[in-house]
Every structure is written in C-alpha cells, then in structure tokens.
Amino acid sequence: MDWSTFFEVHKDLPREGPGTAEDVVWATGLAGLPEGAVICDAAAGPGADVEVLAQAVPGARVLAFDKQEGFVAQMRARFLDTPDVSVQRADLAETADLPRVPFDMIWCAGALYFLGLEHGLEVMRGALKPGAVLAFSEPCHFTDTPGPEACAFWEGYPTRNRLGIVAAVTAAGYEILGTRDVSDAGWEAYYQPMEARIETLRAQGDARLTDMLDLCAKEAEDWRAVRSETGYLLTVARRVS
Ligand SMILES: C[S@@+](CC[C@H](N)C(=O)[O-])C[C@H]1O[C@@H](n2cnc3c(N)ncnc32)[C@H](O)[C@@H]1O
C-alpha cells in the first residue's frame, strides 16, 4: 500500500469505516453505562463516532486514539473546544502505548481485526475493568457458503460467520450483550463521501493518484457486489471476570 497517496485520497473524510450514529446509540444503550462513564474510541480514525459516544450518558468522557498522525491531527482540530474529549496517538499493537485508564467501555469500529480477532479481544480485555463493555465491528460472512468474491473482499483475513465470532468472544471471557450487522447505510456513509472525493481528485488530473483512486473506487464497487454475503458484524460484549 502506498500510504502517502492513500492519505491524499482519504484526507478529511468524515469517517474511515462503515457505521452510523445509530450504531453507537444502540451499543452504548446495551452497555448500560454509569453517569460519568469513561469511554475509549480505539482506532478512531478522524473521530466520526466520538461526539455520539460523548453524549451516551451525562458526564461521559471520551479518550480517542489512532495510530496515524494524520487522523490524530484531524481529531485534535475537530475536538479542540470539547473538554470531555481527549485525543492521543497510540498503537493498538503496542501494549505499552495503550492508555492506562480503566475504561467503562471501549468502542472499536473496523479496527480490532488488524490484531486478529483472538489477540484483539485479549488486548481489549486488558484495558477494560471487570464488568465493562467492548463494542467492535468485525468482518463477517453472512452465509456459510460465501463466493470467491466475498472471500476475496477481505484479502485473506480469516473471516468467520456470526456464530464463529460469537464463539470467539465468549471463549475470550466476555458475555454477549447483542450483535447486529452493520447496515448498508453504514457502508454508504463511508463510501459515498470517499467517492465524491475521488471524483474531485480525478477532475484535477494528478496522474500520481490514478492507481490509488482506482483502488479506492474498486473497493466500493466490490463491496456493493458482495454486500449480501459479507460485511461487518457489530458485537457488544461485557468482560465477565
Ligand atoms: C477502517 S478505519 C476505522 C476508523 C474509525 N473507527 C471509523 O469507523 O471511522 C481503521 C482505523 O484503524 C487505525 N489503525 C489501524 N491499525 C491500528 C493500530 N495498530 N493502532 C491504532 N490504530 C490503528 C487506522 O489508522 C484507521 O484509522
């Protein structure tokens, strides 16, 4: 991946993965958070979900982090005047990097799988207090017989079905509070602004960007072709011990 052209195409998009505000409201509702809850948005990208997390319960505080400096800078600017939100750079894969705060909830949209499901669940468990809640979206096959295009969409990631994800979460020491598929509207909320940016950049005719523009456009097209077979499962689960 050429990250410099990737970030030129993805610059200033409202979100970097599929999801809606309603997903966040659903998950925080299931979590039954206390007033003044401390919530982490792990791998928050440009921070699309942060405001809704901060409104989950009175007095909620949100710590949002991401590995990429560009997204961290975007969030710092976005939440400069929001005292209940703090932003930092941290790498999920570096345990020493992770914020040492006993979170009531960790929200992790479209990123836990970069660590692999089992390892990601273990890392998150370590950052939650007993009884606290993890909500995350994970690649999921919605059928037991996904076609080659649906499998190829996740580029070799060992994508499971809904039952497989639930089994892994339970085995990792969590109690499932709820699951649901991320809706097509959630995917379009990611892809449509990206496609608008692709059009703008194509019109500017910068040949350096052509390959990345094609790659990003293809991802959206590929998802539309396989969306009935594969997507994200959003899971809300409580750390049991
Ligand atoms: C698919 S995007 C989702 C971003 C955001 N949660 C959203 O829904 O808009 C994945 C995010 O994970 C971040 N990321 C990837 N690996 C990471 C890691 N090891 N530590 C922290 N962030 C990471 C990326 O920089 C990117 O912002």
Side-chain angles (χ1 to χ4, degrees), residues 122-204:
E122 187 190 329
V123 168
M124 295 299 175
R125 197 168 177 282
L128 288 165
K129 36 188 180 188
V133 170
L134 170 66
F136 71 104
S137 49
E138 169 74 9
C140 180
H141 289 319
F142 302 141
T143 161
D144 292 336
T145 53
E149 292 84 3
C151 295
F153 183 74
W154 296 110
E155 299 175 342
Y157 182 74
T159 307
R160 304 164 208 225
N161 62 13
R162 297 179 183 95
L163 287 178
I165 294 171
V166 164
V169 173
T170 308
Y174 296 84
E175 169 200 6
I176 300 283
L177 301 179
T179 67
R180 70 180 195 178
D181 303 343
V182 171
S183 63
D184 286 1
W187 285 83
E188 294 292 355
Y190 169 42
Y191 284 140
Q192 285 180 13
M194 182 184 78
E195 289 173 320
R197 179 147 175 87
I198 288 171
E199 275 202 26
T200 304
L201 291 171
R202 280 203 202 282
Q204 291 170 7

Side-chain angles (χ1 to χ4, degrees), residues 15-17 43-45 65-68 71 90-93 109-111 114:
R15 57 181 315 119
E16 280 294 322
F65 74 84
D66 200 273
K67 179 170 92 166
Q68 295 294 343
F71 292 141
D91 186 340
L92 267 175
F114 294 132

Side-chain angles (χ1 to χ4, degrees), residues 28 33 39 51-58 60:
T28 54
L33 296 168
I39 303 171
E51 263 175 63
V52 186
L53 288 168
Q55 290 159 7
V57 283

Side-chain angles (χ1 to χ4, degrees), residues 9 11 16 38 40 45 54 67 89 107 109 122 156 165 173-174 182 194 198-199 205 209 216-217 221 224 226 230:
V9 176
K11 190 172 181 304
E16 280 294 322
V38 183
C40 178
K67 179 170 92 166
R89 202 209 75 88
W107 169 261
E122 187 190 329
I165 294 171
Y174 296 84
V182 171
M194 182 184 78
I198 288 171
E199 275 202 26
L209 297 181
C216 293
E221 273 168 34
R224 292 191 183 106
V226 298
T230 202

